[in-house]
Amino acid sequence: MSRIAVLYEDQLATSKPRSFGPHVLVLACVADQLQRPRDHLERYVDAHPCKGIGRLLALCRAPILADRHERVIAVCDDDRVREHLKLPATACKTAVRDTIATGLGTQLHTVLLVRNLETVLDAVMHVLGLEPATDKPSPLRRDGILLRLAYNGTPDQRRDLLRRVPSLGYLVDKLARAIVELGL
């Protein structure tokens, strides 16, 4: 059976990757776009929270990932990835993607979240009508907010989020396209 892995730079709030707020929200947005139930997509798309860019980059070079998944999408925060790759701060996104792809080649697709996951969280809070965070929320609090939009939000609210954070929209489009191409 074909599967897709989505690697996230961020860490889990719980011990269950299926409850990982960023992933559940991404799947909800993909489900809206493809007009399919989110739980159907969960059967084919695996979340891999990495708890840091170093672990994500190491996993991008792991052959076992390619053996188990037809496609791999690495989601990196754009604000600090270049320093980890030892690229100049002015390196373009293509250079970043090419450097990351040296491990798995064409099977690996990289998405750079403009600035970081906190940018997504700020946009989610705005869409939900919540006050902006005054500090960096814990992973548990972050996931609660993201899951609120995933489970209780409307498709219009999620589309508004994708308009506010185009790099998240790019991830959703990339994942939706992979699902369609693989016939999942």
Side-chain angles (χ1 to χ4, degrees):
M1 170 174 35
S2 293
R3 300 194 66 75
I4 299 169
V6 183
L7 312 178
Y8 295 90
E9 181 177 331
D10 296 282
Q11 67 180 333
L12 280 171
T14 67
S15 61
K16 299 177 185 173
R18 288 185 184 252
S19 301
F20 183 54
H23 186 68
V24 174
L25 180 57
V26 166
L27 287 183
C29 293
V30 171
D32 292 341
Q33 186 170 323
L34 296 178
Q35 297 181 348
R36 297 185 191 173
R38 182 189 43 76
D39 59 339
H40 170 80
L41 302 177
E42 287 177 348
R43 290 184 261 168
Y44 305 106
V45 184
D46 299 326
H48 293 273
C50 296
K51 195 177 181 180
I53 187 67
R55 289 183 181 170
L56 182 141
L57 294 172
L59 199 51
C60 285
R61 296 186 228 344
I64 194 166
L65 198 61
D67 293 343
R68 293 184 179 169
H69 296 89
E70 196 77 21
R71 301 270 171 85
V72 178
I73 299 173
V75 182
C76 305
D77 292 348
D78 194 28
D79 60 352
R80 296 185 54 218
V81 68
R82 286 162 185 79
E83 70 186 69
H84 287 278
L85 295 171
K86 299 191 182 355
L87 292 172
T90 57
C92 68
K93 290 181 182 185
T94 303
V96 172
R97 288 185 186 116
D98 289 348
T99 303
I100 293 172
T102 57
L104 298 177
T106 58
Q107 201 171 354
L108 177 68
H109 303 273
T110 303
V111 175
L112 300 175
L113 280 181
V114 170
R115 289 207 355 198
N116 51 39
L117 187 58
E118 284 74 31
T119 304
V120 174
L121 185 61
D122 289 345
V124 167
M125 294 175 83
H126 180 82
V127 166
L128 291 174
L130 302 173
E131 291 294 318
T134 57
D135 59 347
K136 182 177 179 175
S138 68
L140 188 59
R141 189 167 147 233
R142 173 206 67 208
D143 282 2
I145 295 165
L146 298 177
L147 291 172
R148 183 171 163 190
L149 181 59
Y151 290 127
N152 299 322
T154 66
D156 285 339
Q157 286 176 311
R158 289 187 289 270
R159 278 190 290 277
D160 185 23
L161 170 66
L162 299 181
R163 280 190 296 275
R164 291 176 182 281
V165 187
S167 58
L168 184 65
Y170 179 76
L171 168 60
V172 168
D173 289 344
K174 181 74 75 180
L175 182 54
R177 197 172 16 231
I179 289 167
V180 169
E181 287 172 0
L182 295 173
L184 304 177

